[in-house]
Amino acid sequence: MTELMQRILPTVQKPARYTGGEWGEIKKDLKDVRVRVAFCFPDTYEIGMSNLGMRILYGVMNGMDGVWCERVFAPWGDMEQAMRDNSLPLWALESQTPVREFDMIAFTIGYEMAYSNILNMLNLAGVPLRSKDRQGLKNIVFAGGVCAFNPEPLADFIDFFSLGEGEDITVEILQLYDRAKAEGWSKDAFLHEAAKIPGVYVPSFYRHEYNADGTLAAIVPLEGVPQTVTKRIIEDLDNAYFPTKMIVPSTEIVHDRANLEVFRGCIRGCRFCQAGFSCRPVRKKSPEVLYRQAVETLRASGNNEITISSLSTSDYRGLKELTDKLIPYCTENKVSLSVPSLRADNFSRDLMERLQAGGRKSSLTFAPEAGTQRLRDVINKNLTEDEILTTCANAFSGGWNNVKLYFMLGLPTETDEDVLGIAELVYKVILTWKEHAVNKKRGLRVHVATAYFVPKPHTPFQFVPMDTEEMLREKQKHLVECARARSRKIKVNYHDSKTSFLEGVFAKGDRRLAPVILEAYKRGCYFDGWEECFKYDTWLQTFADLGID
């Protein structure tokens, strides 16, 4: 660590975000390294280190001969200011090497509101923002993650996108780059060869043609690249790489625990859910492999908590067999085992009792999504009111007194009656508690959280109009009033509709949004997913000034 760094770190929040040196990080001798990758997460350390996908690909890349992958996270405002004041470029944690010295710069993107952070990280690194301004093989910028399923808003900035699951395709990309670097290829030659890898999309090799009304008429492939780019999937999860030797963060992170991925995909077909469609088909791990990975991870990390996770964990058919093995191990070693992502139609009170034996019962979380059966049918939620209330009755009679319920506002065909239905359903949950609770002295806590429907690419609802901000605000006001009228016990939390509106714009927009993102960034817009940093008026003014509706 340099003297300048030693002087700066005590002046910023959470200096451990920027130092590296954690237990489990991977360091390599540079004389054995041919390809260096700066693996960037466009948000803070605490969020990025909680991302399982990043941990998996970090291990995959570092498992390759001649490749060294290092982590880079977005610095918070105080650190960024100190870096700019002292002309300190963005660096990677493992070696403190400036990002601009790396061969490849990879981003994983899971949220549209992180787009401007990508530009800020490149700027802090001293790397040109536009792909066309980066010449040669140095600083090839590529990206993956769920947002890559509509990569167009970032087409001007990213050299190529990796679509789908990254364990195999990332290896193929780096092997090709290793060859290109050794043989002295041009950037154009490398991108042409990369475009031949299934799952790689090079935006500059596709021309967009528009109709007179401004709608997209055609996407024309140039120079022999594929007409259609198909996502990559890992078919055999039992034999796929999983990071049991994980990095142990030196400061608290959002999900500060071990994470066990039981399967990918989802057997449900909720029409609004991008992950449910982009992660298809369903592929599961065997309970035997999961138990081994859990034990190895806990022993290597020293974590005292492990979470069994997936898009819908209670749908995993091997869950009982897995927990029958894990619960005794966790009990003996004083490890907390949690199973989130529960479904109200297959909730197992027996499992939850065994998970929390002897301890205070935590909150149960369910996502009815809509307040009426009609609207749940529209979104294909496949969940009835009877199933919700029966599940709550089972939980309350088993000693649970805290319930979290998640809903969406602005769903297609939603009416005022559907919004009222949310308050009515929550009130019925309260009445169910009064009838079935075995421990009424502790009282009931019902936490209601609402998000706004955002149409996402590749879902059945991708072309459904999104409610205007005014409509969403009216629905939120209506819900709060209805909930207050039913019971003072109901407290409703909700997101900012302005953020959801822009999320929808970026989720569905094309490459004509790139100039807007660049100009808004120049005007100070980044960390847009953080309420205290979000500059909505600046975004709107940028759209107006650039003539983009």
Side-chain angles (χ1 to χ4, degrees):
M1 186 183 298
T2 66
E3 182 181 342
L4 178 59
M5 281 277 290
Q6 290 177 330
R7 182 158 45 85
I8 289 174
L9 286 176
T11 69
V12 301
Q13 301 175 50
K14 302 182 180 180
R17 289 167 165 167
Y18 313 108
T19 58
E22 307 103 316
W23 176 267
E25 73 170 8
I26 297 174
K27 290 198 172 187
K28 294 191 176 184
D29 191 327
L30 280 178
K31 74 176 187 299
D32 300 322
V33 175
R34 300 184 302 275
V35 179
R36 298 188 70 179
V37 182
F39 194 10
C40 302
F41 190 90
D43 213 312
T44 60
Y45 176 93
E46 303 95 283
I47 296 176
M49 284 299 293
S50 301
N51 185 279
L52 180 60
M54 188 170 191
R55 289 179 179 269
I56 290 174
L57 293 182
Y58 177 84
V60 166
M61 287 188 269
N62 280 312
M64 297 178 64
D65 174 62
V67 175
W68 187 12
C69 169
E70 302 183 48
R71 296 161 297 140
V72 185
F73 300 97
W76 192 243
D78 56 350
M79 186 63 182
E80 178 189 340
Q81 190 60 53
M83 291 167 63
R84 294 193 184 278
D85 290 344
N86 292 276
S87 301
L88 193 62
L90 186 65
W91 66 90
L93 294 188
E94 278 73 7
S95 65
Q96 281 78 53
T97 301
V99 170
R100 62 172 177 249
E101 296 183 19
F102 282 73
D103 297 305
M104 306 190 81
I105 302 171
F107 285 91
T108 179
I109 318 170
Y111 183 35
E112 290 84 357
M113 301 309 291
Y115 288 172
S116 53
N117 270 17
I118 294 172
L119 301 192
N120 194 45
M121 292 177 76
L122 290 174
N123 178 263
L124 281 168
V127 174
L129 303 186
R130 292 185 180 89
S131 174
K132 66 181 182 180
D133 296 329
R134 298 190 294 268
Q135 303 300 318
L137 283 184
K138 196 78 170 181
N139 297 160
I140 295 288
V141 178
F142 69 105
V146 70
C147 287
F149 285 104
N150 176 24
E152 295 307 324
L154 295 173
D156 285 2
F157 315 114
I158 306 297
D159 292 315
F160 68 89
F161 291 87
S162 170
L163 305 188
E165 295 164 354
E167 288 93 331
D168 291 342
I169 189 174
T170 304
V171 172
E172 294 168 23
I173 289 168
L174 296 186
Q175 287 173 340
L176 179 66
Y177 183 90
D178 192 5
R179 177 186 164 199
K181 183 179 178 182
E183 297 178 3
W185 295 4
S186 67
K187 177 180 179 179
D188 189 66
F190 168 71
L191 291 179
H192 269 91
E193 288 302 309
K196 297 176 184 178
I197 297 175
V200 169
Y201 172 63
V202 183
S204 60
F205 293 161
Y206 294 81
R207 184 179 74 248
H208 284 209
E209 297 177 351
Y210 298 92
N211 296 311
D213 63 356
T215 55
L216 187 64
I219 300 176
V220 182
L222 309 175
E223 307 175 66
V225 296
Q227 174 74 44
T228 301
V229 181
T230 304
K231 71 173 185 179
R232 297 289 291 271
I233 64 169
I234 302 299
E235 294 186 4
D236 183 2
L237 288 184
D238 273 351
N239 291 305
Y241 173 82
F242 187 80
T244 54
K245 293 182 179 179
M246 58 184 285
I247 298 173
V248 180
S250 11
T251 187
E252 186 177 2
I253 62 176
V254 174
H255 299 301
D256 206 354
R257 53 184 178 261
N259 200 324
L260 193 65
E261 181 189 35
V262 295
F263 69 89
R264 293 181 186 176
C266 183
I267 67 170
R268 311 288 174 164
C270 300
R271 296 187 171 110
F272 59 83
C273 180
Q274 185 179 31
F277 286 91
S278 65
C279 294
R280 289 183 174 186
V282 174
R283 291 139 295 141
K284 64 179 182 178
K285 292 182 184 179
S286 66
E288 296 78 17
V289 169
L290 287 168
Y291 176 74
R292 173 178 57 78
Q293 291 177 347
V295 172
E296 289 177 2
T297 301
L298 290 168
R299 287 176 177 172
S301 67
N303 278 101
N304 62 2
E305 182 178 355
I306 186 168
T307 296
I308 300 174
S309 67
S310 72
L311 290 176
S312 182
T313 304
S314 55
D315 285 327
Y316 176 56
R317 291 183 178 179
L319 187 59
K320 184 180 187 305
E321 183 180 348
L322 173 61
T323 53
D324 283 347
K325 291 173 175 286
L326 267 180
I327 289 174
Y329 177 86
C330 291
T331 301
E332 180 182 350
N333 292 278
K334 296 181 172 58
V335 173
S336 172
L337 173 63
S338 59
V339 183
S341 303
L342 296 173
R343 290 273 307 192
D345 57 352
N346 60 11
F347 169 76
S348 170
R349 175 171 148 182
D350 173 65
L351 171 61
M352 297 305 293
E353 291 281 6
R354 289 187 294 127
L355 286 173
Q356 304 188 65
R360 183 183 179 90
K361 289 177 168 56
S362 62
S363 295
L364 290 176
T365 302
F366 301 111
E369 307 295 1
T372 64
Q373 193 60 49
R374 183 200 68 82
L375 192 52
R376 283 193 294 274
D377 290 342
V378 167
I379 64 177
N380 201 34
K381 185 62 184 178
N382 291 320
L383 183 65
T384 67
E385 182 176 291
D386 284 346
E387 288 171 330
I388 296 168
L389 297 180
T390 299
T391 293
C392 288
N394 286 335
F396 296 149
S397 64
W400 276 270
N401 288 58
N402 300 332
V403 177
K404 295 179 181 178
L405 299 171
Y406 287 90
F407 296 91
M408 299 182 78
L409 287 177
L411 287 164
T413 77
E414 185 178 61
T415 65
D416 286 347
E417 287 71 26
D418 296 310
V419 177
L420 171 63
I422 295 175
E424 295 284 4
L425 179 58
V426 176
Y427 184 59
K428 289 177 183 178
V429 170
I430 294 173
L431 294 180
T432 302
W433 175 82
K434 290 180 178 179
E435 182 178 352
H436 294 277
V438 295
N439 186 8
K440 295 181 180 177
K441 291 183 179 180
R442 284 174 50 195
L444 171 68
R445 287 194 294 176
V446 180
H447 174 91
V448 179
T450 60
Y452 298 111
F453 164 71
V454 177
K456 290 298 179 84
H458 307 290
T459 66
F461 285 160
Q462 64 179 339
F463 297 124
V464 172
M466 186 174 173
D467 278 358
T468 65
E469 290 177 75
E470 292 75 19
M471 293 167 66
L472 292 174
R473 281 196 294 268
E474 282 301 312
K475 289 180 178 181
Q476 191 65 66
K477 179 181 177 183
H478 184 44
L479 173 58
V480 171
E481 290 173 350
C482 291
R484 187 179 296 121
R486 295 302 179 277
S487 174
R488 295 288 179 178
K489 291 182 180 291
I490 305 175
K491 294 185 178 180
V492 180
N493 293 335
Y494 49 89
H495 295 292
D496 181 13
S497 62
K498 296 181 175 64
T499 307
S500 297
F501 169 69
L502 271 189
E503 180 186 342
V505 171
F506 296 137
K508 295 185 64 174
D510 63 15
R511 56 182 61 183
R512 290 171 293 183
L513 287 179
V516 180
I517 296 172
L518 178 58
E519 181 60 28
Y521 162 67
K522 290 179 178 178
R523 297 181 183 187
C525 292
Y526 48 96
F527 275 115
D528 296 303
W530 295 74
E531 185 177 345
E532 61 266 43
C533 302
F534 185 44
K535 299 177 180 178
Y536 183 62
D537 292 340
T538 302
W539 276 105
L540 291 188
Q541 189 61 52
T542 304
F543 275 99
D545 292 346
L546 270 60
I548 302 292
D549 185 343

